[in-house]
């Protein structure tokens, strides 16, 4: 090797060892980082959800190993880590503070779930979490309201759980109130609004006219000039159920699944075996009522908080 080549190699080695020194210094610095309860965050401060509330939240959304959990504003990572360690799910934490991201990555390693959990430095309002089957959060009422239109774009059946804060007038499907704190759970509903042609063996020609406000469904069945209200209509994620009394006065119970412009399932008359049914939407769905613009949401959130 020439003297020149030797000099160049030792310079490169020196640069490499300086880089690795810098990396281990960063690691040492990060490994001594301890978050402070109440420390500032981008849109909300950091306060960790208590352990028993975390467990309750994850129980309410029935996390399974096949789930993909996203914690929005993941802090020290405890919700994502618990989703992996206690429920076997894959989980992602989105957190704006890079020190917290490094801290939670270390926590995930210590908990032995680093292969199932990842943390990303990101602004939740600039992030794509549409692949989530479960979304968890402990933010603020107005941040929940900003997220609401995004949540409604997610796949029907996506489960959403929030510690402490509601989603304005989107009523939760389940709540818990105990010493451990308030927890609210919602299922993202499919959009069943609009006019549908309904076909089932043995049922007279019928159409359905459905309107929906969040997950609250109402509507009528139309048989020629007979308009009969739906009996106890319900939508839970993509699952739809309702009763409908036909022109002969017989009550049918429909249980089906909404997939885009089609509903399929089983229709049952009392004392009879169920038959398959299908409904096809005529034209487009109307937007789900209740989803106002962000400006209106902020104004209504402000009005609600002033009224309290
Ligand atoms: C109240 S803490 C909740 C932490 C954790 N989810 C829990 O329940 O223990 C809120 C977290 O959101 C983070 N945060 C605030 N605004 C954010 C934003 N726009 N994008 C990502 N993270 C944010 C804060 O840094 C903080 O760690």
């Amino acid at each position: 090797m020439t003297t020149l080549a030797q000099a160049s190699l030792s310079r490169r080695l020196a640069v490499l060892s300086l880089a690795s020194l810098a990396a281990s210094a960063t690691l040492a610095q990060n490994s001594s980082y301890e978050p402070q309860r109440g420390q500032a965050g981008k849109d909300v401060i950091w306060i960790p959800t208590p352990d028993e509330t975390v467990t309750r939240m994850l129980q309410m959304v029935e996390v399974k190993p096949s789930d993909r959990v996203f914690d929005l504003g993941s802090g020290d990572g405890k919700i994502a880590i618990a989703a992996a360690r206690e429920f076997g799910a894959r989980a992602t934490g989105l957190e704006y503070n890079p020190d917290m991201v490094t801290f939670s990555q270390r926590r995930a390693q210590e908990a032995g779930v680093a292969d199932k959990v990842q943390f990303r430095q990101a602004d939740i309002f600039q992030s794509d979490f549409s692949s989530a089957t479960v979304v968890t959060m402990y933010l603020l009422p107005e941040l929940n309201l900003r997220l609401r239109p995004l949540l409604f774009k997610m796949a029907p059946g996506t489960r959403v759980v929030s510690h402490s804060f509601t989603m304005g007038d989107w009523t939760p499907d389940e709540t818990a109130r105990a010493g451990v704190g308030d927890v609210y759970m919602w299922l993202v509903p499919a959009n069943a609004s609009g006019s549908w042609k309904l076909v089932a063996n043995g049922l007279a020609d019928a159409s359905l006219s459905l309107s929906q406000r969040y997950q609250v469904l109402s509507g009528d069945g139309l048989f020629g000039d007979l308009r009969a209200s739906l009996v106890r209509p319900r939508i839970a994620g993509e699952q739809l159920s309702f009763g409908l009394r036909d022109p002969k006065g017989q009550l049918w119970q429909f249980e089906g699944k909404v997939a885009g412009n089609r509903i399929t399932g089983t229709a049952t008359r009392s004392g009879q075996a169920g038959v398959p049914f299908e409904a096809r939407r005529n034209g487009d769905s109307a937007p789900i009522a209740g989803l106002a613009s962000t400006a209106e949401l902020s104004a209504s959130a402000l009005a609600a908080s002033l009224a309290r």
Side-chain angles (χ1 to χ4, degrees), residues 219-274:
D220 297 317
L222 305 156
F223 302 91
D225 62 356
L226 172 65
R227 175 181 287 267
S229 70
L230 301 190
V231 180
R232 289 180 290 281
R234 182 164 186 270
I235 189 149
E238 53 190 5
Q239 300 299 325
L240 175 78
S241 64
F242 60 89
L244 181 60
R245 199 173 292 282
D246 72 9
K248 293 184 198 148
Q250 291 178 312
L251 183 65
W252 294 65
Q253 184 60 34
F254 293 82
E255 306 281 341
K257 193 169 165 178
V258 185
N261 289 329
R262 195 163 171 247
I263 308 172
T264 49
T266 304
T268 314
R269 272 175 288 182
S270 67
Q272 308 256 351

Side-chain angles (χ1 to χ4, degrees), residues 120-283:
R120 279 196 232 140
Q121 192 281 319
D123 183 335
I124 55 174
F125 294 105
Q126 310 293 327
S127 302
D128 177 9
F129 50 88
S130 57
S131 61
T133 56
V134 169
V135 178
T136 63
M137 64 188 76
Y138 177 24
L139 296 166
L140 281 174
E142 58 270 29
L143 302 184
N144 286 8
L145 284 181
R146 272 176 69 191
L147 287 168
R148 204 171 68 174
L150 294 176
L151 296 171
F152 265 82
K153 287 195 182 129
M154 297 184 72
T158 304
R159 291 98 82 202
V160 180
V161 66
S162 166
H163 174 201
S164 270
F165 302 115
T166 59
M167 291 272 176
D169 58 354
W170 181 16
T171 313
D173 293 291
E174 185 181 340
T175 64
R177 175 163 290 187
V180 294
D182 295 342
V183 182
Y184 303 94
M185 193 285 283
W186 299 262
L187 282 178
V188 173
N191 184 350
S193 66
S195 156
W196 301 78
K197 181 166 173 47
L198 174 64
V199 178
N201 225 357
L203 181 76
D205 279 356
S207 60
L208 297 173
S209 168
L210 303 183
S211 28
Q212 191 175 336
R213 185 176 164 79
Y214 304 114
Q215 74 277 51
V216 180
L217 193 66
S218 58
D220 297 317
L222 305 156
F223 302 91
D225 62 356
L226 172 65
R227 175 181 287 267
S229 70
L230 301 190
V231 180
R232 289 180 290 281
R234 182 164 186 270
I235 189 149
E238 53 190 5
Q239 300 299 325
L240 175 78
S241 64
F242 60 89
L244 181 60
R245 199 173 292 282
D246 72 9
K248 293 184 198 148
Q250 291 178 312
L251 183 65
W252 294 65
Q253 184 60 34
F254 293 82
E255 306 281 341
K257 193 169 165 178
V258 185
N261 289 329
R262 195 163 171 247
I263 308 172
T264 49
T266 304
T268 314
R269 272 175 288 182
S270 67
Q272 308 256 351
V275 293
F277 84 87
E278 184 184 63
R280 292 231 172 227
R281 187 158 17 210
N282 305 316

Side-chain angles (χ1 to χ4, degrees), residues 39-50 54 57 71-80 94-97 100 120-127 136-140 143 146 163 165:
Q39 72 187 22
K42 181 170 183 294
D43 293 310
V44 57
I45 60 172
W46 174 65
I47 297 186
T49 296
V54 171
M57 289 167 79
D71 186 32
L72 307 184
S74 49
D76 64 1
K78 64 188 303 182
I79 294 184
L94 301 179
E95 169 58 50
Y96 196 76
N97 179 332
M100 292 299 265
R120 279 196 232 140
Q121 192 281 319
D123 183 335
I124 55 174
F125 294 105
Q126 310 293 327
S127 302
T136 63
M137 64 188 76
Y138 177 24
L139 296 166
L140 281 174
L143 302 184
R146 272 176 69 191
H163 174 201
F165 302 115

